[in-house]
């Protein structure tokens, strides 16, 4: 049977509905109309994109690959509020930020110079891989390998977007680090499963974990008004 062509517009609309249903318009303080206006220019970019290799139903979730993500940054919705809006696939318990982030430290984990963002508020991320091939690899070495492939590491907000839009990606023993956000020390943020819920924590860049890979993506793009 021939596969139904991927409808990028429908997928974009689905992701907007996910954020709307989770209360992002209210959380951002923009309200539905202004929030819709913020993300609307990105729809045309999602539809026009030809670089995406991954399609829902052809790797998304089970293989840890998705075509694109609508990413809303902390400028619009605080990480402390968006992480609790994540859940595991089929789960009910809200995600949480690990207490090992000392007060004020989360704000210092920002996008690195090697991870330029196309827009400070909202943009699209294409060709995402959760990176389980890097399980058991020292994070520093994994990040170097990804850079050598001309791919980009995911930020904290992008990792939250991945779990928000595709909760089936986060599964036992296939969790992922987010090397695109750093704070100047040896800590690397990561999302894994704890207490039957998604947890945003961190690991040392020199310590490998058999259950923790390194997420990456192909490109980022902003909207055109």
């Amino acid at each position: 049977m021939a596969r139904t062509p991927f409808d990028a517009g429908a997928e974009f609309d689905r992701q907007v509905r996910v954020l709307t249903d989770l209360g992002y318009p209210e959380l951002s303080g923009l309200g539905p109309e202004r929030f819709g206006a913020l993300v609307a220019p990105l729809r045309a970019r999602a539809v026009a994109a030809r670089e995406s290799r991954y399609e829902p139903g052809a790797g998304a979730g089970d293989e840890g690959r998705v075509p694109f993500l609508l990413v809303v940054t902390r400028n619009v919705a605080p990480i402390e509020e968006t992480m609790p809006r994540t859940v595991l696939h089929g789960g009910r318990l809200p995600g949480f930020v690990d207490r090992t982030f000392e007060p004020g430290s989360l704000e210092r984990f920002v996008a690195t110079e090697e991870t330029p963002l196309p827009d400070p508020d909202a943009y699209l991320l294409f060709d995402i891989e959760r990176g389980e091939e890097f399980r058991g690899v020292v994070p520093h070495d994994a990040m170097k390998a990804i850079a050598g492939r001309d791919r980009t590491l995911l930020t904290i907000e992008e990792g939250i977007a991945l779990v928000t839009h595709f909760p089936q990606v986060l599964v036992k023993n296939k969790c992922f680090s987010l090397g695109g956000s750093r704070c100047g020390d040896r800590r690397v943020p990561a999302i894994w499963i704890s207490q039957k819920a998604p947890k945003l924590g961190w690991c040392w860049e020199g310590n490998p974990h058999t259950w923790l890979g390194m997420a990456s993506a192909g490109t980022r793009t902003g909207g055109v008004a």
Side-chain angles (χ1 to χ4, degrees):
M1 178 180 292
R3 179 182 299 163
T4 302
F6 174 51
D7 187 336
E11 173 57 22
F12 180 87
D13 294 341
R14 182 193 72 83
Q15 294 190 23
V16 173
R17 287 195 302 273
V18 167
L19 298 183
T20 300
D21 291 345
L22 289 173
Y24 273 60
E26 293 75 23
L27 175 62
S28 66
L30 296 174
E33 188 171 329
R34 291 172 61 199
F35 183 81
L38 172 69
V39 301
L42 295 166
R43 191 181 194 279
R45 300 303 296 268
V47 172
R50 295 290 181 267
E51 64 266 41
S52 184
R53 297 173 291 166
Y54 313 136
E55 300 181 5
D62 290 343
E63 296 180 11
R65 298 175 175 179
V66 302
F68 67 82
L69 294 173
L70 171 57
V71 181
V72 174
T73 74
R74 68 185 75 182
N75 284 353
V76 175
I79 291 170
E80 295 88 344
E81 297 293 337
T82 56
M83 192 63 201
R85 285 166 168 78
T86 64
V87 294
L88 298 178
H89 182 58
R92 293 180 296 176
L93 298 178
F96 61 99
V97 177
D98 190 72
R99 59 188 177 187
T100 55
F101 283 102
E102 69 274 15
S105 67
L106 193 58
E107 289 79 5
R108 299 196 299 272
F109 280 87
V110 297
T112 66
E113 292 183 1
E114 297 79 19
T115 312
L117 306 184
D119 188 278
D121 296 328
Y123 57 89
L124 295 174
L125 183 70
F126 288 93
D127 293 335
I128 300 92
E129 299 178 354
R130 77 184 157 205
E132 62 261 37
E133 68 176 284
F134 293 108
R135 289 174 297 176
V137 177
V138 173
H140 179 271
D141 295 341
M143 291 186 284
K144 184 176 180 180
I146 288 170
R149 299 175 183 178
D150 290 326
R151 289 178 61 80
T152 183
L153 300 166
L154 265 61
T155 66
I156 288 176
E157 290 98 314
E158 291 164 358
I160 293 174
L162 178 57
V163 179
T164 298
H165 295 304
F166 294 92
Q168 64 270 38
V169 167
L170 186 65
V171 296
K172 183 178 179 181
N173 296 325
K174 293 184 180 180
C175 305
F176 46 86
S177 293
L178 303 167
S181 292
R182 302 296 298 274
C183 71
D185 61 18
R186 297 177 58 249
R187 291 180 289 179
V188 182
I191 293 179
W192 66 88
I193 299 171
S194 178
Q195 303 175 44
K196 299 181 179 180
K199 178 173 80 171
L200 173 63
W202 57 264
C203 294
W204 299 114
E205 67 177 11
N207 291 358
H209 296 278
T210 58
W211 42 268
L212 197 59
M214 183 69 65
S216 68
T219 59
R220 297 178 179 86
T221 186
V224 177

